[in-house]
Amino acid sequence: LSNTYMGKVATTGQPILIEDTLAVDKSLEYFQALSLKTFLAVPIRSKEKVLGVLACSSVREGSRFGQRELRLAQQLADRAAMAIENAKLFKNIELLEEKRRALFEYAGDAIFILDLEGTILEANENACKSLGYTMEELIGMNVAEIKSPRSAIQVRGLIDALLEKKHLIFEHENRRKDGSVFPVEISTRLIELP
């Protein structure tokens, strides 16, 4: 590839424009074999790294690429580079979300994500098992609903303390769906979710 025009663009990062292929002696055979009359190639680059090459040619008699077509091709290549980089970023975000989800689901402890009113936004499977609720039942409940009566009256004060201190560890009592109560140690942290 390095001895082809596209290879040179990929290696040097510089565009190539051949307005009339008949005027280029060295590549006459190459262009004749493909019946190409005019040719251009531009780098698809991101952060000074060449990701690929965008090449255009025409077999139409009398057609000629010029600086205008070269600029247009470079604009298309720049947009392609942005699309490639965006796709990489999106893939990285997906991988991070998969890792987060795996940590959340496979943690040995019950994990809840609550809003500042105490509404359960997310919970892992261990949270559901420990309380005897399905995920559908648990999501949307207020955390006070899964506390013993004695612990339930403390929820608002604990949320206020969390807002002030950003992190709390305390002992409480949770209440299962069947009404049975069990002790828990709770570690909370205030985080901002998008």
Side-chain angles (χ1 to χ4, degrees), residues 75-115:
Q75 289 173 351
L76 291 172
D78 292 344
R79 289 185 181 177
M82 282 193 298
I84 291 167
E85 288 302 317
N86 286 343
K88 287 179 182 177
L89 288 173
F90 184 74
K91 186 65 177 171
N92 286 342
I93 289 169
E94 284 182 328
L95 290 173
L96 286 172
E97 175 57 24
E98 286 177 23
K99 288 178 184 178
R100 184 199 72 84
R101 177 58 56 194
L103 287 170
F104 187 74
E105 286 303 324
Y106 299 116
D109 295 324
I111 300 175
F112 299 89
I113 297 177
L114 314 173
D115 67 12

Side-chain angles (χ1 to χ4, degrees), residues 84-155:
I84 291 167
E85 288 302 317
N86 286 343
K88 287 179 182 177
L89 288 173
F90 184 74
K91 186 65 177 171
N92 286 342
I93 289 169
E94 284 182 328
L95 290 173
L96 286 172
E97 175 57 24
E98 286 177 23
K99 288 178 184 178
R100 184 199 72 84
R101 177 58 56 194
L103 287 170
F104 187 74
E105 286 303 324
Y106 299 116
D109 295 324
I111 300 175
F112 299 89
I113 297 177
L114 314 173
D115 67 12
L116 295 177
E117 301 303 315
T119 304
I120 300 171
L121 304 175
E122 281 189 68
N124 67 356
E125 195 59 40
N126 279 337
C128 295
K129 286 178 184 174
S130 72
L131 296 167
Y133 288 98
T134 66
M135 188 69 70
E136 293 76 22
E137 292 171 321
L138 202 54
I139 302 302
M141 289 177 70
N142 190 284
V143 71
E145 297 176 73
I146 62 166
K147 300 295 177 191
S148 70
R150 183 175 55 177
S151 293
I153 59 174
Q154 300 170 349
V155 168

Side-chain angles (χ1 to χ4, degrees), residues 2-162:
S2 62
N3 61 352
T4 67
Y5 285 108
M6 289 188 293
K8 288 176 186 170
V9 173
T11 304
T12 66
Q14 297 300 311
I16 291 178
L17 170 63
I18 301 173
E19 294 180 28
D20 181 3
T21 59
L22 295 175
V24 182
D25 291 334
K26 288 182 180 177
S27 60
L28 184 59
E29 191 176 299
Y30 171 78
F31 288 124
Q32 275 185 342
L34 297 174
S35 301
L36 304 180
K37 308 302 181 205
T38 188
F39 175 85
L40 65 81
V42 295
I44 300 172
R45 96 180 119 228
S46 175
K47 300 176 187 163
E48 303 307 315
K49 180 181 176 190
V50 177
L51 305 174
V53 176
L54 174 66
C56 302
S57 59
S58 177
V59 295
R60 195 173 55 201
E61 204 59 52
S63 61
R64 299 280 184 271
F65 291 149
Q67 290 301 314
R68 190 177 118 233
E69 289 80 11
L70 187 67
R71 282 191 303 274
L72 176 61
Q74 190 60 66
Q75 289 173 351
L76 291 172
D78 292 344
R79 289 185 181 177
M82 282 193 298
I84 291 167
E85 288 302 317
N86 286 343
K88 287 179 182 177
L89 288 173
F90 184 74
K91 186 65 177 171
N92 286 342
I93 289 169
E94 284 182 328
L95 290 173
L96 286 172
E97 175 57 24
E98 286 177 23
K99 288 178 184 178
R100 184 199 72 84
R101 177 58 56 194
L103 287 170
F104 187 74
E105 286 303 324
Y106 299 116
D109 295 324
I111 300 175
F112 299 89
I113 297 177
L114 314 173
D115 67 12
L116 295 177
E117 301 303 315
T119 304
I120 300 171
L121 304 175
E122 281 189 68
N124 67 356
E125 195 59 40
N126 279 337
C128 295
K129 286 178 184 174
S130 72
L131 296 167
Y133 288 98
T134 66
M135 188 69 70
E136 293 76 22
E137 292 171 321
L138 202 54
I139 302 302
M141 289 177 70
N142 190 284
V143 71
E145 297 176 73
I146 62 166
K147 300 295 177 191
S148 70
R150 183 175 55 177
S151 293
I153 59 174
Q154 300 170 349
V155 168
R156 183 71 251 168
L158 288 167
I159 291 173
D160 291 341
L162 180 61

